[in-house]
């Protein structure tokens, strides 16, 4: 199948590497996140020197240009594959592909649409996992093609759960790819009544604990471990004298 890859980060790199060597995948172009939003972009570029020389390794800022859907349609790709790509697709761009665009999302949709999905599975107790779905005009609202649930343990942090979801997403895509090529995956509408999502401002708000705020110990621990990706991305406590303390939790499974 001839495709355009929209990819970013470790998951995009691993799947792009896997697809590059397959006889059933013809990659017409690669679109990376816009500058300033890229992860592992240089490694992804290095996979496709021929496309780079041909000017077919692009960046997400081109999606705003009027001529982009026509340019993409001219590549003759059947489908777009979105792998942890940060930009929203317009209807014109989706329609540039005869079979549309599919997206690999790091949550068990309809739970945790949007970003920072692992954090909210820990804090809210919602299911975690990876979902391959069709892209529509909403954000992570399109019909589901396949899914893989990931268990959430009491000792998981946002960082450890995110890495487990990344692994599950890569395996889910590999398992689904032959069926996707054969057009054998049946789209299933999401149960929108069960959908959850959180804003970026909510993510920022839980980055700080107020010493005057009342909550259960369990809730506090879940917020701390949910926010723990590394020592820079964790919860901060503002003390009464104005000092800020970083709270970093490293649960140890028994």
């Amino acid at each position: 199948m001839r495709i355009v890859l929209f990819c970013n980060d470790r998951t995009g790199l691993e799947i792009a590497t896997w697809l590059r060597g397959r006889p059933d995948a013809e990659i017409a172009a690669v679109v990376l996140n816009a500058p300033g939003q890229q992860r592992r972009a240089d490694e992804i570029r290095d996979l496709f020197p021929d496309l780079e020389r041909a000017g077919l390794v692009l960046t997400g800022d081109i999606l705003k240009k009027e001529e982009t859907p026509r340019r993409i349609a001219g590549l003759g790709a059947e489908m777009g594959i979105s792998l942890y790509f940060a930009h929203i697709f317009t209807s014109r761009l989706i329609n540039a592909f005869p079979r549309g665009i599919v997206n690999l999302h790091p949550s068990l949709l309809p739970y945790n649409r949007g970003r920072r999905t692992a954090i909210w599975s820990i804090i809210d107790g919602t299911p975690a996992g990876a979902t391959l779905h069709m892209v529509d005009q909403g954000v992570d609202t399109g019909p589901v093609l396949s899914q893989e649930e990931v268990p959430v343990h009491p000792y998981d942090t946002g960082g450890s759960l995110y890495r487990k979801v990344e692994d599950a997403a890569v395996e889910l895509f590999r398992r689904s790819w032959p069926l996707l090529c054969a057009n054998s995956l049946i789209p299933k509408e999401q149960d929108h009544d069960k959908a959850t999502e959180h804003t970026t401002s909510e993510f920022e708000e839980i980055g700080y604990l107020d010493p005057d705020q009342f909550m259960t110990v369990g809730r506090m621990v879940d917020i701390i471990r949910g926010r723990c990706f590394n020592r820079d991305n964790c919860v901060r406590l503002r003390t009464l004298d104005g000092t800020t303390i970083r709270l970093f939790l490293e649960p140890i499974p028994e």
Side-chain angles (χ1 to χ4, degrees), residues 20-244:
R20 184 187 60 161
R22 293 188 61 87
D24 54 2
E26 182 184 358
I27 300 171
V30 174
V31 185
L32 306 170
N33 277 4
Q37 297 178 269
Q38 297 176 350
R39 292 182 179 177
R40 313 296 289 268
D42 288 341
E43 294 166 87
I44 295 171
R45 284 182 181 276
D46 289 344
L47 293 174
F48 304 102
D50 292 343
L51 293 179
E52 183 79 71
R53 285 191 292 270
L56 292 173
V57 178
L58 311 169
T59 55
D61 46 327
I62 71 161
L63 301 189
K64 299 178 181 179
K65 297 181 178 180
E66 183 70 22
E67 70 273 11
T68 295
R70 183 171 61 254
R71 181 181 180 186
I72 294 292
L75 297 173
E78 296 175 60
M79 179 177 284
I81 306 291
S82 172
L83 307 168
Y84 284 47
F85 189 67
H87 303 277
I88 303 300
F89 298 106
T90 65
S91 58
R92 290 184 61 228
L93 188 59
I94 296 170
N95 293 335
F97 297 94
R99 292 183 55 189
I101 299 175
V102 300
N103 179 52
L104 187 62
H105 181 69
S107 85
L108 200 74
L109 293 174
Y111 301 103
N112 298 318
R113 293 170 176 170
R115 302 182 184 179
R116 313 289 187 179
T117 58
I119 289 172
W120 300 110
S121 284
I122 290 173
I123 294 174
D124 294 342
T126 49
T131 302
L132 188 68
H133 69 97
M134 299 300 303
V135 172
D136 61 9
Q137 289 304 289
V139 177
D140 304 323
T141 55
V144 170
L145 297 171
S146 57
Q147 291 185 302
E148 179 70 27
E149 186 167 2
V150 172
V152 182
H153 299 296
Y155 51 80
D156 274 318
T157 63
S160 69
L161 182 58
Y162 182 79
R163 288 186 290 274
K164 291 198 299 186
V165 170
E166 280 187 315
D167 291 340
V170 171
E171 290 307 312
L172 174 68
F173 186 88
R174 290 176 176 172
R175 186 171 69 247
S176 301
W177 173 253
L179 300 173
L180 192 63
C181 288
N183 204 21
S184 297
L185 294 174
I186 308 301
K188 181 181 178 182
E189 287 296 324
Q190 297 184 36
D191 185 346
H192 300 292
D193 291 337
K194 294 182 178 179
T196 62
E197 58 185 315
H198 292 275
T199 64
T200 301
S201 62
E202 287 179 276
F203 170 75
E204 297 301 333
E205 286 171 8
I206 65 167
Y208 289 89
L209 289 178
D210 185 339
D212 293 327
Q213 184 179 6
F214 289 93
M215 66 176 69
T216 65
V217 172
R219 173 73 175 174
M220 182 179 67
V221 169
D222 286 344
I223 289 174
I224 295 172
R225 68 189 183 98
R227 279 278 312 200
C228 280
F229 280 78
N230 51 53
R231 294 188 183 275
D232 292 322
N233 191 356
C234 58
V235 171
R236 290 166 170 78
L237 174 66
R238 292 190 181 101
T239 62
L240 296 177
D241 65 359
T243 304
T244 299

Side-chain angles (χ1 to χ4, degrees), residues 10-25:
R10 171 197 156 195
T11 303
L13 173 62
E14 289 194 16
I15 294 174
T17 302
W18 183 77
L19 284 173
R20 184 187 60 161
R22 293 188 61 87
D24 54 2

